[in-house]
Amino acid sequence: MGYYLRIEPDVNIYVEDVNQKSAKTILFLHGWPANHKLFEYQFNHLPSMGYRCIGMDLRGFGNSDKPSSGYSYDRMADDVRAVIEELHLENVTLAGHSVGGAISIRYMARHNGYGVEKLALFAAAAPSFTKLPDFPYGMTKEDVTKHIQETYEDRPNMLKEFGDLFFFQYVTRSFSDWFFQLGLQAAGWSTASLAASLRDESLFSDLENIQVPTLILHGIHDKVCPFPLAEAQNRGIKNSKLVSFENSGHGLFWEERDKFNQTLAEFIG
């Protein structure tokens, strides 16, 4: 079922909640610039395996409210805390893809992992989405700035070009159109603002504060968040396990969904 949670006086967050009776809960945070529907192929199967799957649309995306501000990692992490508190969640597996992974990491550091028993990162945009003098991986800041400018000038074309980078395996025209529509459901300003956070924020010190078992899943052909980001996460997070996906790009949860779902289920137990 889907419903809204009020996390600020003027901000409501949309949540899709499947199999509420299960004690094993996964809270999914989607990547930029999509929404909870990105995990359709997990919601199709994991509930039948005994898991409660909660998909949260980040503010500015999907069905959630789209305020003009509030797109820093800190604010997004605070939104996650509000959802966990509102739903009285305990012993959750927090699962984040791309920028959702970055927000998950910030949540663990900022809120001391409140309510979270395990962490799962999928093609996470961490510890830095952009190249730095001492971290030569990821996009350049200039490339991200170009995406932001294109968002304000021709957002549909920007989304199409980003979609072309997303998958390693062939996708049908119909699937590509569906994926494109997920991005259009966001607001232009939220798309640009969260991209600015991707460009400007980093999470090196946050990694050191994660104390729960962590699963890192990452496609070796990822052109959005290159595989060295996963290796850096693995080095920086104590008690973490890295599993590579040999036939995936940034969309491993679809490209190798059977392996993805099984690996995640085995990790959660």
Side-chain angles (χ1 to χ4, degrees), residues 84-233:
I84 288 176
E85 289 185 340
E86 283 289 319
L87 297 180
H88 307 290
L89 300 178
E90 297 178 345
N91 303 320
V92 172
T93 296
L94 182 60
H97 171 253
S98 196
V99 74
I103 293 165
S104 298
I105 291 169
R106 175 56 53 83
Y107 176 84
M108 297 302 293
R110 183 172 172 84
H111 294 284
N112 298 313
Y114 176 85
V116 176
E117 182 178 44
K118 295 182 178 181
L119 176 66
L121 304 173
F122 321 138
S128 176
F129 182 66
T130 54
K131 295 179 179 179
L132 301 171
D134 55 350
F135 190 75
Y137 311 109
M139 293 190 180
T140 66
K141 291 196 173 186
E142 290 75 18
D143 285 340
V144 181
T145 298
K146 183 173 180 288
H147 281 307
I148 294 171
Q149 292 172 340
E150 290 174 345
T151 296
Y152 287 123
E153 295 169 0
D154 189 346
R155 186 161 66 105
N157 187 63
M158 182 280 294
L159 290 173
K160 182 182 181 303
E161 291 180 349
F162 182 72
D164 291 340
L165 293 174
F166 205 92
F167 297 101
F168 171 68
Q169 296 188 34
Y170 169 78
V171 298
T172 64
R173 175 64 182 271
S174 298
F175 187 92
S176 179
D177 290 345
W178 170 80
F179 182 76
F180 175 73
Q181 290 298 322
L182 298 185
L184 283 180
Q185 290 174 34
W189 59 86
S190 55
T191 302
S193 295
L194 190 53
S197 294
L198 276 164
R199 180 192 62 193
D200 299 336
E201 299 206 42
S202 64
L203 298 151
F204 292 94
S205 61
D206 299 71
L207 297 179
E208 300 172 359
N209 292 316
I210 297 173
Q211 303 298 323
V212 301
T214 300
L215 177 66
I216 301 166
L217 306 181
H218 214 105
I220 65 170
H221 303 285
D222 197 326
K223 294 181 180 178
V224 179
C225 294
F227 193 74
L229 271 66
E231 295 174 321
Q233 294 161 31

Side-chain angles (χ1 to χ4, degrees), residues 26-56:
I26 311 170
L27 175 57
F28 289 92
L29 304 185
H30 62 82
W32 180 92
N35 53 62
H36 79 276
K37 292 181 180 179
L38 199 66
F39 298 111
E40 175 175 333
Y41 295 89
Q42 283 62 61
F43 278 60
N44 284 349
H45 298 289
L46 290 173
S48 66
M49 297 169 68
Y51 299 98
R52 179 184 182 184
C53 293
I54 302 175
M56 168 185 168

Side-chain angles (χ1 to χ4, degrees), residues 13-30:
I13 292 294
Y14 179 80
V15 168
E16 191 73 28
D17 193 347
V18 181
N19 197 20
Q20 297 180 30
K21 295 181 180 180
S22 176
K24 297 180 179 180
T25 302
I26 311 170
L27 175 57
F28 289 92
L29 304 185
H30 62 82

